[in-house]
Amino acid sequence: MAEAKDDSERGEWLEALDSVEAFEGLERVDELLEAIVTSARRKGAKLPFAANSAYVNTISPEHQPEHPGDRKLEMTIRRYVRWNAAAIVLRANKDSSELGGHIASFQSAATLYDTGFMHFWRAADETHGGDLVYFQGHSSPGVYARAFLEGRLSEDQLVNFRQEVGGVGLSSYPHPWLMPEFWQFPTVSMGLGPLMAIYQARFLRYLHGRGLADTAERKVWVFCGDGEMDEPESLGAISLAGREKLNNLIFVINCNLQRLDGPVRGNGKIVQELEADFRGAGWNVVKCLWGSGWDALLAKDKDGKLRQLMEECVDGEYQDFKSKNGAYIREHFFGKHPETAAMVADWSDAQIWALTRGGHDPIKVFAAYKAASEHKGQPTVILAKTVKGYGMGAAGEGQMIAHQAKKIGTDALKAFRDRFGIPLSDEELTKLPFLKLPPGGPEEQYLQGRRKALGGPLPARRRRSTPLEIPALSAFEGLLQATGEGREISTTMAFVRILSTLLRDKNIGQRIVPIVPDESRTFGMEGLFRQIGIFSQVGQLYRPQDADQLMYYREDSKGQILQEGINEPGAMASFIAAGTSYSTSNCPMIPFYIYYSMFGFQRIGDLAWAAGDMRARGFLIGGTSGRTTLNGEGLQHEDGHSHILASTIPNCVGYDPTYAYELAVIIQHGLKRMYADNEDVYYYITTLNENYPHPAMPEGAEEGILKGMYKLKTVEAPKSALKVRLLGAGAILREVEAGAELLARDFGVSSEIWSVTSFTELRREGLEAERWNLLHPEADKRLSYVEQCLAKGQGPVIAATDYMKAIGDGIRAYVPASYRVLGTDGFGRSDYRRALRSFFEVDRHHVAVAALKSLADDQLLPAKKVSEAIAKYGINPDKPSPAKV
Ligand SMILES: Cc1ncc(C[n+]2csc(CCOP(=O)(O)OP(=O)(O)O)c2C)c(N)n1
Ligand SMILES: [Mg+2]
């Protein structure tokens, strides 16, 4: 009885639904259902969660806008682009496959790119700041192919795809470092593009919110592969985009169902999975799955069997269908149900084969792009279904091996030519010529006309922006003086004072972008919350708990701080967006990203590499650095290697200063290099949380501070000829100073003390000198800076650092004396600083012992003296090595 009642009731509801649809349309159905569902949820009903819509296009044919272009001309142009893109790779691989390259990915995405270039992407001009397009890295041949048709790249450049050493070549992937007037965003390390783009879109809002640039009309378009979405970075920040309502952001995910090895989700459906992910994160999802040929079939699908079939098939099958032919699809797809088989019973196999996927249909793609561009209040993701290697036939279309295909046999090449109507004879074909559109013809005019209408060519990168006026060093006068009797500060505190000074500077104060990943209080920066505010598009919708405090937690729509939460990759992406704003927005900004040094390069190394490639400028401040200086936090927090990692990035300038005046000199000079002289470098500076007194800057020290070392002082031992040179860096310089006192007092050894602000810069300079000498064997030898510094003094050289020994070892070749390095190799652990420095053998006692041992090795002292020192300072000579325990 109950069941019968249920059924009839259900029938009534369904009938009502049909009737609403028939008389008022589907939108009204949506509205009513939403209201009913909301009401039912509030009553406590447990409705099943469904994040998915049906496996069909989001935009129905009735809602499809008119395609405004000349589709015939566009098709011809696209075919030329397709051909040239393939020819670029085929020619590079003609003789050997050493150079590599990809064909199949761009062939699957050609219409997706073409539609953007023809109708959507604005270049920067006087009236518009320009859209920002993140091209999928390995689709670069397609982008080059189009730039060639536009006359922006020469045939010579195309021939030299992936052959850059001679100077005319094209980079494998988008690399601003290698093609600084062309590529804006390095995307090829999968996942970084999507992540960086989200923060880029948010940064455009930041610039707008703060009144620094008008970015209201600008959009960020991001092209990613469906395989790429498996990278945690790809999806990791999508909820930020949803939360921040970034409707200036459009993701286009090319769902060709394949990655490198095989299907992305052979046993499932990547489109449906991504739809759920993005919807859950608050995005507008536009599925573009089926080409126009399917419209009539779907219109006939009254019983829903075709839709059911579309949902039943998994991606492994969809890939297989498109690798075969029409007959195969008739049998294995439509043939699964008698109703669907009947739908195409009177179709030819060729007609079935001609049914395309949404991402290959310009009309569907245009509709999706238009909807995305006009959507309000949410970012949009377009899930475009395509075929990997589209048009490549046996050479790659839907084939497992599609991704790696870089050679095409003559038959497959002919098939490709015929399929796309490429005007080449059999004989011409094998020479793989690059095709130009007939000069002055309608296609050429159309191509140029479209880009003209959209403001100019893309991609294009601005190299230079207006130089900024940088404050003189005297602006930091307070830090150049000694801290004074009994006052102790840390370099972190000194940094905060520098930052405060800069924030107040009338020329560049507004350009400073402090970025923190939930560590402001750690670094004593909480005063800035109140002073300059935390950026929030909606201001502050609550009364902060500490509102009655002087320095309360303030969010503001004009706030200057980017508070990224516990999210180092996101904060680094903000650093990159701010650090490249001089190029992307013609608005130089000065990011200071302050974080726990251990969660920097080690954690986000690939983004730091991308920042270098992208020519980002700004300051990374590795706080609480040093393996024995951040003492209590132990193994996971104590960084003794970030400077080594930083040194792997060619244009990252690293410093490990000890004293406040060193920090001031370094930052002031960095500002000048990056923002007045337009140098494409960025800085990594470590700061410490250890408090101690700071001396005044020694006269004339600036140059040495910047080059990497300068003589700090001499500690003379009375009545002795024994001399050593002690180099100290960062936190350990002060142990070196104390060690020098021990040496003088206990062993009558005099020391020259050098503060090493940057072993990395010293090594780089040394390498350059060495290289020059190698290549100019008969010229006067160039002395490295290290050699110059140490040429005059006497005695062995001992260096000590809170970083691994490798950092000090880097200058060994340039030290004109015996050289010993103390460093902190091994896992950190918690204890007092004094205990840790003893454990890692970098404290004053070990400095003294090391100096004596060097003197003994140089036959200047009996070895017995070293033993004496070991005993005197209570060192256990048989204690296990800190690098091993
Ligand atoms: C971090 C990272 N890992 C691996 C690669 C190597 N790689 C380049 S393309 C590719 C497959 C890409 O598949 P998908 O994202 O689906 O793009 P499609 O070529 O199918 O459009 C791989 C593994 C890379 N570039 N970056
Ligand atoms: Mg793919």
Side-chain angles (χ1 to χ4, degrees):
M1 271 301 282
E3 240 170 50
K5 184 178 164 230
D6 273 351
D7 272 353
S8 71
E9 218 173 19
R10 187 183 303 146
E12 279 169 30
W13 278 70
L14 291 174
E15 246 173 58
L17 200 68
D18 286 345
S19 141
V20 174
E21 187 198 349
F23 291 101
E24 297 179 78
L26 261 181
E27 270 157 35
R28 183 68 182 146
V29 171
D30 279 344
E31 272 174 35
L32 290 176
L33 283 178
E34 200 178 317
I36 291 167
V37 165
T38 306
S39 166
R41 283 224 166 92
R42 289 202 179 128
K43 288 180 201 304
K46 290 187 180 49
L47 295 163
F49 172 71
N52 280 121
S53 61
Y55 197 60
V56 292
N57 295 340
T58 304
I59 301 170
S60 58
E62 312 83 74
H63 291 98
Q64 213 166 265
E66 218 27 62
H67 188 291
D70 183 325
R71 294 214 295 107
K72 197 152 171 289
L73 290 179
E74 288 189 16
M75 187 174 74
T76 309
I77 295 165
R78 188 160 55 248
R79 289 174 161 192
Y80 274 62
V81 173
R82 281 182 183 283
W83 168 261
N84 287 336
I88 288 171
V89 179
L90 292 171
R91 274 175 71 163
N93 290 277
K94 215 168 173 184
D95 301 325
S96 90
S97 49
E98 193 181 338
L99 296 172
H102 304 85
I103 302 175
S105 303
F106 176 73
Q107 294 302 333
S108 73
T111 306
L112 299 175
Y113 285 114
D114 207 37
T115 307
F117 276 121
M118 290 291 192
H119 301 287
F120 290 92
W121 302 334
R122 284 287 320 237
D125 62 13
E126 311 75 53
T127 60
H128 194 287
D131 293 328
L132 301 174
V133 185
Y134 289 67
F135 294 94
Q136 183 194 40
H138 56 284
S139 281
S140 58
V143 181
Y144 294 142
R146 169 176 262 271
F148 171 71
L149 288 187
E150 291 174 356
R152 301 180 63 208
L153 295 178
S154 67
E155 170 141 1
D156 206 17
Q157 286 175 294
L158 262 52
V159 169
N160 283 292
F161 173 63
R162 293 189 172 219
Q163 295 158 76
E164 302 173 85
V165 170
V168 288
L170 298 175
S171 63
S172 51
Y173 303 116
H175 293 302
W177 188 258
L178 299 170
M179 293 177 67
E181 264 130 37
F182 195 84
W183 294 117
Q184 293 181 289
F185 307 109
T187 45
V188 78
S189 184
M190 315 253 107
L192 300 193
L195 178 76
M196 290 192 290
I198 289 172
Y199 285 87
Q200 177 67 64
R202 211 270 307 257
F203 194 73
L204 291 181
R205 290 280 175 84
Y206 172 90
L207 287 178
H208 199 84
R210 293 195 49 217
L212 294 165
D214 180 357
T215 64
E217 299 301 319
R218 301 175 66 190
K219 301 240 182 256
V220 177
W221 290 74
V222 190
F223 281 77
C224 353
D226 45 0
E228 179 172 11
M229 300 317 286
D230 281 341
E231 290 285 4
E233 288 89 344
S234 300
L235 290 173
I238 62 170
S239 57
L240 171 109
R243 185 166 68 240
E244 297 278 328
K245 303 188 178 16
L246 299 178
N247 61 6
N248 58 345
L249 177 66
I250 298 166
F251 270 30
V252 181
I253 304 181
N254 178 13
C255 297
N256 57 23
L257 314 185
Q258 291 177 244
R259 43 179 159 75
L260 192 154
D261 281 344
V264 177
R265 290 290 181 278
N267 293 319
K269 282 211 278 300
I270 187 64
V271 166
Q272 299 299 85
E273 186 178 322
L274 291 174
E275 175 184 37
D277 290 339
F278 279 90
R279 278 189 148 190
W283 288 54
N284 172 42
V285 179
V286 177
K287 295 199 286 196
C288 179
L289 308 186
W290 309 106
S292 299
W294 293 89
D295 288 345
L297 284 176
L298 284 163
K300 278 198 281 180
D301 182 39
K302 294 292 175 219
D303 56 3
K305 268 288 172 198
L306 178 58
R307 284 173 174 79
Q308 181 191 328
L309 174 60
M310 287 170 159
E311 260 155 56
E312 281 167 357
C313 284
V314 292
D315 284 353
E317 292 176 287
Y318 279 118
Q319 179 197 336
D320 182 44
F321 297 148
K322 276 298 184 185
S323 72
K324 300 289 193 315
N325 53 50
Y328 189 84
I329 294 173
R330 182 195 302 283
E331 185 184 345
H332 295 274
F333 178 70
F334 290 108
K336 283 198 181 179
H337 299 293
E339 297 88 339
T340 47
M343 282 178 142
V344 291
D346 57 353
W347 287 37
S348 70
D349 290 347
Q351 279 175 303
I352 292 178
W353 184 244
L355 285 167
T356 55
R357 302 240 165 113
H360 297 301
D361 185 333
I363 297 172
K364 301 291 183 194
V365 174
F366 179 84
Y369 282 15
K370 186 159 190 290
S373 315
E374 292 169 1
H375 190 76
K376 300 271 182 283
Q378 286 177 304
T380 293
V381 58
I382 293 165
L383 301 170
K385 189 167 166 171
T386 64
V387 180
K388 191 144 179 169
Y390 184 71
M392 288 168 71
E397 191 154 0
Q399 310 283 315
M400 272 315 168
I401 49 80
H403 191 82
Q404 304 286 70
K406 18 194 147 287
K407 289 181 192 283
I408 295 186
T410 312
D411 287 347
L413 204 57
K414 284 182 189 164
F416 186 86
R417 172 199 63 190
D418 296 343
R419 179 141 170 195
F420 293 120
I422 307 296
L424 287 174
S425 68
D426 284 359
E427 212 213 326
E428 290 167 325
L429 194 65
T430 49
K431 295 195 194 107
L432 300 166
F434 298 123
L435 291 181
K436 277 275 187 204
L437 293 165
E443 292 88 358
E444 216 241 340
Q445 283 181 12
Y446 186 84
L447 177 74
Q448 303 290 5
R450 288 311 307 149
R451 285 315 313 165
K452 214 166 164 197
L454 289 162
L458 276 182
R461 182 180 178 279
R462 182 186 287 103
R463 277 200 86 158
R464 293 276 173 267
S465 190
T466 340
L468 301 181
E469 206 168 306
I470 303 304
L473 186 60
S474 54
F476 311 105
E477 185 56 31
L479 296 169
L480 307 180
Q481 306 302 331
T483 37
E485 198 57 36
R487 273 208 69 215
E488 297 197 337
I489 65 165
S490 66
T491 46
T492 303
M493 288 158 77
F495 166 71
V496 175
R497 279 167 61 181
I498 291 172
L499 190 62
S500 301
T501 305
L502 292 174
L503 285 164
R504 284 194 303 270
D505 184 89
K506 64 178 186 328
N507 293 311
I508 61 168
Q510 288 302 309
R511 309 242 168 205
I512 307 290
V513 186
I515 304 169
V516 279
D518 200 32
E519 295 286 357
S520 307
R521 293 182 201 276
T522 312
F523 304 126
M525 292 170 57
E526 63 272 31
L528 294 180
F529 295 159
R530 162 70 211 291
Q531 190 191 327
I532 54 173
I534 295 166
F535 176 69
S536 156
Q537 292 193 70
V538 295
Q540 194 156 31
L541 306 178
Y542 59 98
R543 181 179 184 274
Q545 175 274 328
D546 56 355
D548 55 347
Q549 304 284 308
L550 191 62
M551 298 198 282
Y552 66 91
Y553 194 84
R554 184 166 74 89
E555 300 197 52
D556 192 306
S557 59
K558 289 195 178 334
Q560 196 162 352
I561 300 172
L562 287 173
Q563 164 62 270
E564 302 298 7
I566 310 166
N567 175 5
E568 285 80 7
M572 188 63 191
S574 274
F575 172 82
I576 292 172
T580 52
S581 171
Y582 73 91
S583 170
T584 49
S585 296
N586 201 13
C587 180
M589 298 298 285
I590 309 173
F592 281 90
Y593 168 29
I594 307 105
Y595 56 90
Y596 257 124
S597 73
M598 193 64 151
F599 303 128
F601 290 87
Q602 166 161 302
R603 177 93 183 201
I604 50 87
D606 207 9
L607 282 163
W609 183 255
D613 187 349
M614 218 164 142
R615 298 167 177 267
R617 303 172 187 169
F619 295 90
L620 298 179
I621 306 292
T624 56
S625 76
R627 188 152 279 155
T628 67
T629 306
L630 176 61
N631 50 334
E633 293 285 317
L635 183 151
Q636 180 57 66
H637 285 65
E638 290 165 4
D639 161 38
H641 51 275
S642 63
H643 276 292
I644 292 174
L645 302 178
S647 75
T648 62
I649 297 168
N651 53 350
C652 173
V653 186
Y655 286 101
D656 181 24
T658 310
Y659 291 124
Y661 62 81
E662 296 176 349
L663 194 61
V665 168
I666 292 163
I667 291 180
Q668 193 274 341
H669 188 70
L671 286 168
K672 183 176 167 306
R673 279 180 77 182
M674 295 184 281
Y675 295 96
D677 304 342
N678 268 316
E679 261 194 76
D680 291 335
V681 293
Y682 71 89
Y683 276 57
Y684 175 54
I685 306 172
T686 41
T687 60
L688 313 169
N689 64 343
E690 185 176 359
N691 294 324
Y692 45 79
H694 293 241
M697 180 162 78
E699 189 130 343
E702 286 108 305
E703 191 191 341
I705 292 172
L706 298 170
K707 285 187 160 167
M709 68 190 282
Y710 66 96
K711 200 196 293 182
L712 183 67
K713 61 179 173 194
T714 312
V715 177
E716 297 285 355
K719 302 189 280 303
S720 170
L722 289 175
K723 286 188 180 359
V724 293
R725 276 82 65 80
L726 304 180
L727 317 185
I732 302 303
L733 172 60
R734 295 181 65 258
E735 291 297 328
V736 165
E737 290 180 56
E741 299 294 340
L742 295 181
L743 283 168
R745 187 191 73 194
D746 299 340
F747 294 92
V749 176
S750 300
S751 305
E752 249 178 32
I753 301 177
W754 294 77
S755 170
V756 177
T757 49
S758 178
F759 278 112
T760 311
E761 288 299 289
L762 293 177
R763 175 172 165 79
R764 285 176 176 166
E765 196 273 347
L767 287 171
E768 286 303 312
E770 196 176 320
R771 173 179 177 273
W772 194 90
N773 292 334
L774 171 74
L775 298 174
H776 303 86
E778 292 175 57
D780 286 347
K781 186 185 169 200
R782 267 193 199 174
L783 280 188
S784 67
Y785 179 66
V786 174
E787 280 167 291
Q788 290 171 37
C789 287
L790 298 175
K792 287 194 221 89
Q794 278 172 28
V797 179
I798 296 93
T801 158
D802 214 7
Y803 282 80
M804 291 173 68
K805 294 186 174 85
I807 197 88
D809 270 332
I811 62 164
R812 182 173 295 281
Y814 318 114
V815 177
S818 64
Y819 184 50
R820 181 185 304 278
V821 179
L822 307 185
T824 57
D825 296 47
F827 280 120
R829 60 199 56 210
S830 303
D831 212 313
Y832 290 101
R833 288 192 183 110
R834 202 155 49 86
L836 288 177
R837 287 172 185 167
S838 166
F839 173 82
F840 279 107
E841 301 165 6
V842 292
D843 65 351
R844 57 199 65 188
H845 298 135
H846 284 87
V847 169
V849 168
L852 295 171
K853 171 70 169 133
S854 289
L855 285 167
D857 287 353
D858 286 358
Q859 321 264 306
L860 297 168
L861 194 78
K864 198 155 73 64
K865 282 277 171 201
V866 189
S867 303
E868 256 175 50
I870 291 174
K872 182 175 177 61
Y873 300 136
I875 294 171
N876 168 10
D878 297 317
K879 98 188 220 307
S881 159
K884 302 242 165 79
V885 293

